[in-house]
């Protein structure tokens, strides 16, 4: 009898403990049920926002990872998402030329736009002889997230924005940021070790997405197929690339999954170079669902190709 009572008492107590754990105290109930609505322009920002915000944010990415980030045209559902959002995270630097009209049309004065590339050390596109620069703005090449050191800077902007909108979870956001920075550092170290021993580091780029990745991991971009998004390169430009690849014995041509494979294939066919398909957007290829998966995938594919083909 005593034993039964004892057990019952304990199970009621533990039931209370479980309930207390699930139910937040009064006042924070609405907050806990309503995560901050956040809209981001491209999938890499969705991953970073979710890493920091966890359960306290609900993130919608306008691009899914299969579209061209420069020539994207917003859908009606994007406008709805932006109207509902409290924060909009963008890369900036002229990447999302289509975003300012979207924000203007949404007409929501309380929406805060966070430009995550602020403070990143810019790399300028070469205005080379074959058709000028890739992007409208002269702010520099906008593919800053392809260097993990820049992602650390972007992460700080995102954490700061979440803390300002929701100061009640400051400690959680800061802890998540610290945990992710550790992972980021670990992956960077691993990839730097992998790329250290490469003897040939040269490749032809599809579009100018890779200067930050190349700088961090010491790859060398020796030519670019498509300097301007949505514009076909000239026959003269292609011919000079083919000659360069043959003359300098370049082994690797990068093709991007978001762009047509036709020109990289033409280049590979006319030379002895091999194609490596990469993605600058998480989710573009199988096994690239997160930023860290994508970074690892791109660097390892490139390193493997440079090593095995040489
Ligand atoms: Zn691009």
């Amino acid at each position: 009898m005593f034993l039964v009572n004892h057990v019952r008492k304990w199970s009621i107590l533990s039931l209370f403990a479980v309930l207390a754990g699930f139910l937040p105290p009064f006042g924070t109930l609405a907050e806990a049920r309503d995560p901050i609505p956040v809209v981001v322009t491209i999938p890499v920002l969705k991953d970073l926002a979710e890493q920091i915000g966890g359960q306290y944010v609900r993130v919608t990415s306008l691009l899914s990872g299969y579209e061209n980030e420069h020539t994207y045209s917003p859908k009606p559902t994007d406008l709805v998402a932006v109207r509902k959002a409290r924060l909009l995270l963008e890369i900036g630097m002229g990447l999302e030329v289509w975003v300012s009209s979207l924000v203007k049309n949404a007409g929501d004065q309380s929406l805060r736009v966070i430009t995550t590339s602020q403070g990143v050390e810019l790399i300028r596109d070469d205005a080379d002889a074959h058709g000028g620069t890739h992007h409208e703005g002269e702010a520099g090449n906008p593919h800053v997230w392809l260097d993990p050191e820049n992602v650390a800077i972007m992460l700080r902007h995102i954490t700061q924005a979440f803390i300002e909108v929701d100061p009640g979870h400051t400690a959680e956001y800061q802890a998540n940021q610290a945990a992710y920075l550790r992972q980021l550092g670990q992956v960077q170290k691993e990839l730097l070790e992998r790329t250290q021993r490469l003897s040939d580091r040269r490749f032809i780029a599809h579009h100018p997405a890779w200067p930050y990745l190349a700088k961090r991991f010491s790859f060398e971009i020796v030519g670019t197929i498509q300097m301007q998004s949505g514009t076909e390169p000239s026959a003269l430009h292609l011919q000079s690339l083919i000659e360069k690849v043959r003359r300098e014995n370049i082994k690797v041509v990068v093709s991007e999954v978001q762009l047509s494979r036709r020109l990289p294939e033409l280049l590979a066919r006319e030379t002895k170079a091999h194609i490596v398909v990469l993605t600058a957007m998480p989710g573009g290829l199988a096994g690239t669902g997160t930023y860290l998966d994508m970074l690892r995938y791109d660097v390892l594919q490139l390193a493997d190709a440079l090593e095995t083909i040489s």
Side-chain angles (χ1 to χ4, degrees), residues 68-70 95 134-135 141-143 145 207-209 229 256 280:
N68 180 327
E69 71 274 19
H70 308 284
L95 181 79
H134 167 219
H135 301 287
N141 187 299
H143 305 84
W145 67 91
H207 99 289
S229 319
E256 286 172 53

Side-chain angles (χ1 to χ4, degrees), residues 137-179:
E138 287 305 309
N141 187 299
H143 305 84
V144 292
W145 67 91
L146 288 155
D147 177 354
E149 300 263 337
N150 293 345
V151 166
I153 295 171
M154 293 163 65
L155 219 54
R156 292 190 181 98
H157 290 299
I158 296 170
T159 307
Q160 193 53 38
F162 288 173
I163 290 173
E164 278 165 24
V165 169
D166 175 27
H169 293 116
T170 299
E172 286 90 336
Y173 297 139
Q174 283 172 343
N176 290 346
Q177 176 184 247

Side-chain angles (χ1 to χ4, degrees), residues 12-255:
I12 289 167
L13 273 179
S14 51
L15 181 67
F16 270 115
V18 167
L19 283 177
F22 276 115
L23 295 175
F26 291 112
T28 61
L29 203 56
E31 196 186 346
R33 276 185 189 160
D34 295 325
I36 309 164
V38 180
V39 162
V40 303
T41 52
I42 59 172
V44 64
L45 291 169
K46 182 176 198 290
D47 183 27
L48 300 182
E50 285 174 346
Q51 297 288 345
I52 303 296
Q55 58 180 307
Y56 308 116
V57 297
R58 191 181 60 247
V59 188
T60 307
S61 179
L62 300 180
L63 269 71
S64 67
Y66 300 107
E67 308 92 337
N68 180 327
E69 71 274 19
H70 308 284
T71 55
Y72 181 70
S73 60
K75 306 180 293 290
T77 51
D78 294 343
L79 191 62
V80 175
V82 172
R83 279 202 178 119
K84 285 183 187 160
R86 287 187 68 187
L87 286 170
L88 187 145
L89 310 181
E90 62 165 10
I91 298 291
M93 304 173 59
L95 181 79
E96 307 101 328
V97 285
W98 40 272
V99 92
S100 56
S101 63
L102 194 62
V103 170
K104 210 176 288 167
N105 287 336
D108 180 359
Q109 301 298 318
S110 66
L111 177 74
R112 298 175 61 177
V113 178
I114 309 297
T115 303
T116 57
S117 64
Q118 272 178 47
V120 163
E121 194 181 320
L122 306 176
I123 299 178
R124 295 202 175 274
D125 285 327
D126 290 338
D128 80 8
H130 308 290
T133 56
H134 167 219
H135 301 287
E136 320 250 317
E138 287 305 309
N141 187 299
H143 305 84
V144 292
W145 67 91
L146 288 155
D147 177 354
E149 300 263 337
N150 293 345
V151 166
I153 295 171
M154 293 163 65
L155 219 54
R156 292 190 181 98
H157 290 299
I158 296 170
T159 307
Q160 193 53 38
F162 288 173
I163 290 173
E164 278 165 24
V165 169
D166 175 27
H169 293 116
T170 299
E172 286 90 336
Y173 297 139
Q174 283 172 343
N176 290 346
Q177 176 184 247
Y180 192 75
L181 285 174
R182 273 195 299 275
Q183 283 186 60
L184 191 65
Q186 185 53 45
V187 172
Q188 179 175 333
K189 186 166 162 268
E190 175 197 316
L191 295 178
L192 281 170
E193 279 164 14
R194 173 65 185 91
T195 49
Q196 217 168 23
R197 58 177 187 268
L198 294 173
S199 55
D200 187 354
R201 301 170 170 277
R202 304 165 303 160
F203 71 90
I204 301 282
H206 200 165
H207 99 289
W210 310 102
Y212 295 92
L213 181 124
K215 191 178 176 197
R216 178 60 51 205
F217 298 102
S218 306
F219 293 113
E220 194 187 341
I221 303 164
V222 289
T224 302
I225 298 172
Q226 213 166 331
M227 290 303 290
Q228 273 174 312
S229 319
T231 325
E232 285 280 287
S234 66
L236 186 67
H237 176 61
L238 285 175
Q239 193 52 44
S240 78
L241 270 184
I242 290 168
E243 278 160 23
K244 188 185 179 84
V245 170
R246 283 180 186 154
R247 189 175 59 239
E248 298 176 15
N249 194 23
I250 294 155
K251 311 260 182 13
V252 172
V253 174
V254 165
S255 176

